């Protein structure tokens, strides 16, 4: 069962019952390995299945004016194109950042499963709400912050999201992003991103080398970023809190 | 393709960068420096502060160019 991170996520947020767990564990799926820069789906595609990130990272991106803009990162357990169940045409490219693995679950099976389980329907709905909360945070981050707190916020958010699915060990996590990926996500140039990351390191807030990030001082980093993980936790059901 | 380093200078001092960027034409270097100078200036002026910054570009052999930006108020 490659999508155990998804089940862990839903368990953490929605408190699944045994039969819903079984439904998720039994989902028919195709596992696909992607190389860095390879696409799960392209803008204009009409996917017939939903992808679950099993390992690695995906980015949602498109070219705006002349530059590539990443508007979301997806971590293991996320379902970046869940909305294609209702909005059939993709409006962005879904691209692998570093090598990744996805499980593709047919729409037909998902529709049938959701029709049979109110709990799962609510859990899936909640997942899309979490994604839209994250999107709002990104808009605020891109529009209102200086480069330093902006990149700090992205680091805090990824640490929190990866922590939920057990991918942070001793305050460290793997982040296979290139300088260009970070620049594309933060609406900044590679030059400015480099300098800003160097400043975060100089202040002793993070260590960041060879695609491993270590948060050295979580509280000052979150203060700088005005970050609170609350927006990622708010949507937990009372049973899961 | 050559590696360029974009060091930064402002009122707080000089910051030598450790990570370089590979670029294939001097015009790409100029554009990267101009864009970065604009972004640094946006950071400085976001809260209404005036300022002066400079991006000093070097390659393996030494300095290549400097791009400067200033926002200064002259009251009349």
């Amino acid at each position: 069962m490659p999508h155990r991170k998804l089940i862990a996520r839903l368990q953490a947020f929605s408190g699944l019952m045994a039969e819903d767990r079984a439904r998720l564990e039994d989902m028919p799926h195709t596992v696909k390995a992607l190389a860095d820069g390879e696409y799960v789906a392209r803008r204009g595609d009409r996917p017939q299945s939903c992808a679950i990130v099993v390992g690695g990272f995906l980015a949602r991106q498109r070219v705006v004016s002349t530059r590539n803009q990443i508007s979301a990162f997806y971590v293991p357990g996320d379902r970046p194109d869940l909305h294609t169940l209702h909005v059939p045409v993709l409006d962005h490219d879904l691209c692998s950042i570093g090598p990744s693995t996805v499980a593709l679950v047919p729409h037909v099976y998902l529709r049938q499963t959701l029709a049979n389980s109110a709990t799962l329907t609510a859990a899936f709905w909640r997942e899309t709400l979490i994604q839209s909360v994250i999107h709002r945070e990104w808009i605020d981050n891109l529009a209102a912050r200086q480069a330093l707190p902006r990149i700090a916020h992205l680091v805090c958010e990824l640490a929190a999201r990866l922590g939920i699915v057990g991918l942070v060990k001793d305050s460290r996590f793997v982040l296979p992003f290139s300088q260009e990926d970070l620049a594309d996500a933060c609406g900044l140039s590679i030059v400015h991103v480099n300098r800003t990351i160097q400043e975060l390191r100089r202040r002793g807030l993070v260590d960041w080398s060879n695609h491993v990030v270590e948060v050295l001082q979580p509280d000052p980093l979150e203060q700088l970023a005005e970050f609170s993980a609350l927006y990622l936790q708010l949507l937990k059901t009372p049973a899961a809190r | 393709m050559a590696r360029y380093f974009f060091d930064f200078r402002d009122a707080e001092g000089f910051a030598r960068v450790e990570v370089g960027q590979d670029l294939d034409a001097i015009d790409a270097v100029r554009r990267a420096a101009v864009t970065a100078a604009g972004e640094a200036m946006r950071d400085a002026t976001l809260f209404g502060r005036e300022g002066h910054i400079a991006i000093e570009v070097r390659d393996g052999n030494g300095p290549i160019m400097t791009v400067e930006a200033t926002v200064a108020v002259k009251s009349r």
Side-chain angles (χ1 to χ4, degrees):
Chain A
M1 184 197 38
H3 46 275
R4 57 195 169 84
K5 292 293 182 204
L6 166 67
I7 297 175
R9 259 194 77 79
L10 293 178
Q11 188 77 60
F13 278 85
S14 302
L16 298 176
M17 306 294 252
E19 58 176 16
D20 288 319
R21 271 192 78 97
R23 284 190 174 104
L24 291 173
E25 284 167 4
D26 294 344
M27 285 195 293
H29 59 269
T30 315
V31 174
K32 195 174 171 190
L34 297 149
D36 181 33
E38 205 176 330
Y39 294 98
V40 177
R42 303 297 300 266
R43 190 174 182 184
D45 284 356
R46 291 172 169 268
Q48 299 301 310
S49 55
C50 286
I52 303 168
V53 183
V54 174
F57 293 80
L58 299 183
R60 171 194 283 249
Q61 60 187 38
R62 67 177 166 194
V63 174
V64 181
S65 301
T66 56
R67 60 172 293 158
N68 188 44
Q69 180 65 45
I70 291 176
S71 54
F73 286 121
Y74 298 99
V75 305
D78 286 347
R79 283 165 299 170
D81 57 358
L82 183 61
H83 61 285
T84 58
L85 274 177
H86 297 291
V87 186
V89 182
L90 268 187
D91 57 354
H92 288 76
D93 294 332
L94 211 48
C95 182
S96 186
I97 302 286
S100 68
T101 310
V102 298
L104 301 168
V105 183
H107 280 181
V108 176
Y109 180 82
L110 287 172
R111 287 187 207 288
Q112 196 187 328
T113 306
L114 294 177
N116 291 329
S117 167
T119 313
L120 278 184
T121 302
F124 279 38
W125 188 355
R126 202 169 287 122
E127 287 279 300
T128 63
L129 292 175
I130 293 170
Q131 289 299 332
S132 50
V133 173
I134 293 172
H135 280 309
R136 285 197 290 277
E137 288 285 336
W138 274 52
I139 292 170
D140 295 351
N141 197 37
L142 291 172
R145 290 197 180 99
Q146 292 172 307
L148 194 68
R150 187 182 298 180
I151 293 179
H153 195 278
L154 181 63
V155 172
C156 291
E157 182 205 287
L158 288 168
R161 290 170 66 190
L162 290 168
I164 290 169
V165 287
L167 291 172
V168 178
K169 302 254 155 55
D170 303 324
S171 307
R172 286 165 187 260
F173 53 94
V174 174
L175 209 57
F177 301 176
S178 66
Q179 301 163 1
E180 194 172 3
D181 296 328
L182 288 164
D184 289 351
C186 291
L188 298 168
S189 66
I190 294 173
V191 170
H192 205 44
V193 163
N194 278 342
R195 192 172 73 77
T196 307
I197 290 174
Q198 189 169 315
E199 179 63 15
L200 287 174
R201 293 168 61 204
R202 191 190 67 77
R203 293 189 184 194
L205 299 173
V206 300
D207 191 20
W208 194 329
S209 57
N210 299 322
H211 297 310
V212 175
V213 178
E214 180 176 3
V215 176
L216 299 171
Q217 299 189 65
D219 292 345
L221 185 70
E222 290 184 1
Q223 235 163 34
L224 170 70
E226 301 175 280
F227 179 85
S228 158
L230 208 61
Y231 74 93
L232 294 168
Q233 308 286 342
L234 272 177
L235 292 157
K236 283 190 177 182
T237 59
R241 272 184 206 133
Chain B
M1 207 65 123
R3 180 154 295 182
Y4 298 91
F5 296 85
F6 297 78
D7 298 328
F8 182 79
R9 191 185 291 282
D10 67 2
E12 287 169 27
F14 177 75
R16 189 181 166 90
V17 299
E18 295 151 21
V19 180
Q21 193 178 337
D22 294 329
L23 293 164
D24 55 6
I26 199 69
D27 190 53
V29 177
R30 186 191 60 80
R31 275 187 284 126
V34 168
T35 305
E39 289 171 349
M41 200 36 108
R42 191 260 186 188
D43 278 351
T45 56
L46 190 59
F47 304 116
R49 282 198 298 272
E50 295 166 58
H52 176 82
I53 62 106
I55 307 259
E56 300 177 9
V57 189
R58 63 187 154 87
D59 65 6
N61 299 318
I64 302 280
M65 68 178 75
T66 300
V67 174
E68 296 185 38
T70 303
V71 170
V73 178
K74 290 183 179 163
S75 299
R76 288 173 190 275

